[in-house]
Amino acid sequence: MFDIGFLELLIIGVVGLLVLGPERLPKAARTTGLWIGRIKRSVSGMQREINAQLEAEELRQKLAEQQKKLDEGLDRVKRNVEGSVESPSADRATPDRKASEQANDERQQQGSPERRLDDALGRARRQVDDADSDTHEDASPR
């Protein structure tokens, strides 16, 4: 903070002794020390608060970035699901599979939101996997 050496402290002490006298100098030094301690504690408290606010802001930014990535991924999956529902490969599903999906839909209407989300994601993954496997089957090795 301040670059005060021993010589400067000695000069301040001698001047203080001459100005205040030997009776009041110890009390003045004690009071000065208390005030300096209070100032240091206040400054360190402010530094801690500033650091905490900076860390909180960094966490908010990271959370916003992760939310953005999650939203982009969800939109991508949504587009893939919509594309695979509209594609002809979805019409080639077996009757057993269609019955199973209808049963899942009925359960989904009665289940909790978490359960419905899990079921929807499972159907989307199956449809994407079916579309990928149809693409791989159609491609002939050259």
Side-chain angles (χ1 to χ4, degrees), residues 2-142:
F2 297 110
D3 189 26
I4 297 177
F6 180 73
L7 183 62
E8 287 88 6
L9 287 176
L10 184 63
I11 291 173
I12 291 171
V14 169
V15 170
L17 181 63
L18 292 174
V19 171
L20 296 175
E23 308 89 39
R24 291 185 287 174
L25 182 63
K27 185 177 179 182
R30 195 173 314 121
T31 305
T32 304
L34 289 175
W35 278 101
I36 289 174
R38 288 179 186 169
I39 292 171
K40 283 184 179 182
R41 282 191 297 277
S42 297
V43 169
S44 66
M46 284 187 250
Q47 287 177 340
R48 279 194 305 271
E49 288 180 22
I50 290 171
N51 287 337
Q53 291 295 326
L54 290 174
E55 289 175 8
E57 185 61 32
E58 288 175 10
L59 288 174
R60 282 187 203 106
Q61 288 176 353
K62 288 180 183 179
L63 182 61
E65 290 173 10
Q66 292 298 323
Q67 182 67 36
K68 184 178 177 182
K69 288 179 184 179
L70 182 62
D71 289 342
E72 289 172 358
L74 185 60
D75 289 340
R76 195 175 327 117
V77 169
K78 195 178 196 181
R79 285 191 303 269
N80 287 342
V81 168
E82 289 172 353
S84 59
V85 166
E86 294 171 359
S87 70
S89 65
D91 294 336
R92 291 187 258 168
T94 63
D96 292 335
R97 184 161 182 189
K98 286 184 181 179
S100 143
E101 288 180 3
Q102 287 175 351
N104 282 340
D105 287 339
E106 291 172 7
R107 274 188 268 133
Q108 183 181 29
Q109 291 174 355
Q110 297 171 354
S112 68
E114 293 85 8
R115 177 69 180 169
R116 289 187 300 213
L117 180 60
D118 290 341
D119 291 341
L121 287 174
R123 280 195 312 276
R125 287 185 185 122
R126 284 193 303 271
Q127 289 173 350
V128 170
D129 289 343
D130 289 344
D132 288 344
S133 65
D134 288 343
T135 305
H136 293 298
E137 289 173 3
D138 293 341
S140 60
R142 294 182 187 189

